[in-house]
Amino acid sequence: MPHYVRCVEEDTWLTESRSIATWRALQLLAQQLLPSNAMVKLPEKRKVYSREEVKAWTEFFFKVRDYKPSTQLNLSAYYVGPGAVDYQRLAADLGVRPEEAAAVVKSLDKPLMMAAAEEMLQAVMHSSKFSHTVELVKGRI
């Protein structure tokens, strides 16, 4: 099910609709690239972002821009078709849930992470600048 960040006051979307695995991958990548900064969080509950959070998301955005994905895991064995990954088997091999395996794979997709990070940064800036409440909600598509 796709999710997007919505501005509550304007009742409009601030990001594209993306799979929840993509948003989880962005959060996972934030934990990897900024392990000591807990301010880079998705708005899973309604919130208004602070200036400090804008700074943290801005720093994260530039970290993603300079990010060079690398993995010790050979994903080629898990592809079952063009662009289709067997997350169940990957999860079993990694010892995690399929949702976590999907987040790991998506966090390696730099163009996807760049797009999602830029959208989130814009949403965070909107929330802070106008004191608007935002939240991550299920999409219509």
Side-chain angles (χ1 to χ4, degrees):
M1 174 69 74
H3 286 64
Y4 66 96
V5 177
R6 175 178 87 96
C7 174
V8 174
E9 282 77 5
E10 296 178 11
D11 191 26
T12 190
W13 51 268
L14 297 173
T15 67
E16 294 293 326
S17 286
R18 299 185 180 282
S19 71
I20 192 65
T22 298
W23 295 117
R24 297 275 181 256
L26 190 66
Q27 188 71 54
L28 176 68
L29 190 57
Q31 292 167 354
Q32 290 173 4
L33 298 179
L34 295 173
S36 63
N37 193 335
M39 297 187 100
V40 180
K41 296 280 187 192
L42 296 172
E44 296 193 43
K45 294 182 181 178
R46 291 181 174 199
K47 72 176 292 172
V48 175
Y49 282 96
S50 68
R51 285 182 161 205
E52 291 76 25
E53 288 171 307
V54 171
K55 289 178 187 175
W57 273 97
T58 302
E59 179 183 358
F60 172 62
F61 173 77
F62 285 107
K63 291 275 188 182
V64 173
R65 186 190 69 181
D66 297 335
Y67 167 60
K68 292 180 175 69
S70 66
T71 180
Q72 305 301 327
L73 180 64
N74 181 0
L75 294 175
S76 63
Y78 300 97
Y79 281 96
V80 292
V85 176
D86 183 350
Y87 292 118
Q88 296 288 339
R89 195 167 55 116
L90 177 60
D93 289 352
L94 293 176
V96 298
R97 296 181 325 208
E99 300 82 27
E100 293 170 293
V104 167
V105 171
K106 288 184 180 287
S107 72
L108 299 173
D109 185 343
K110 184 173 179 174
L112 178 63
M113 292 295 97
M114 278 295 302
E118 182 177 12
E119 290 170 12
M120 269 308 303
L121 175 57
Q122 293 300 320
V124 169
M125 290 170 54
H126 172 89
S127 174
S128 176
K129 181 177 180 179
F130 299 110
S131 297
H132 284 184
T133 303
V134 295
E135 64 182 334
L136 184 66
V137 297
K138 287 183 183 176
R140 295 176 289 273
I141 298 173

